[in-house]
Amino acid sequence: MAKIPLIRDNTPEEEAAIKKAIAEDSDTWEIPEGAKPLRRGRPAGQKKAKVTVRLDLDLIEALKGSDPKGWQTRLNSAAWAGLKR
């Protein structure tokens, strides 16, 4: 049977060292008081369906451009623009 690891709280010295490292790290910041929590995902009420579509590779590359993130959203926008004509 596996031995259960011992979990302990940080000592006051360890806790002070951790807080000091956080304070000195330029990539960390305090969350402003009263800030709304971040919400992830699509807005409530929007429904999507999973669909499999075969697209030409050059079309996918054009949609990705220099930023591959969001290419599916750009495809969705282009499809809507084509339907509204």
Side-chain angles (χ1 to χ4, degrees):
M1 183 181 241
K3 186 176 178 182
I4 298 173
L6 176 66
I7 299 174
R8 63 173 179 77
D9 288 335
N10 295 331
T11 64
E13 293 80 18
E14 291 171 326
E15 194 64 30
I18 291 168
K19 287 183 178 182
K20 181 181 179 201
I22 291 170
E24 292 173 353
D25 187 346
S26 63
D27 291 332
T28 61
W29 63 91
E30 293 292 323
I31 297 173
E33 206 170 306
K36 289 183 177 182
L38 295 177
R39 185 168 141 60
R40 296 185 61 156
R42 98 178 73 84
Q46 288 187 353
K47 296 183 180 181
K48 301 231 176 183
K50 184 175 180 174
V51 177
T52 301
V53 178
R54 295 178 65 86
L55 302 171
D56 292 339
L57 289 176
D58 55 347
L59 173 61
I60 294 171
E61 290 303 315
L63 287 166
K64 287 183 178 182
S66 62
D67 182 15
K69 287 186 177 181
W71 73 270
Q72 292 169 321
T73 302
R74 288 190 287 278
L75 173 62
N76 197 46
S77 297
W80 274 113
L83 289 173
K84 291 179 182 176
R85 287 183 178 180

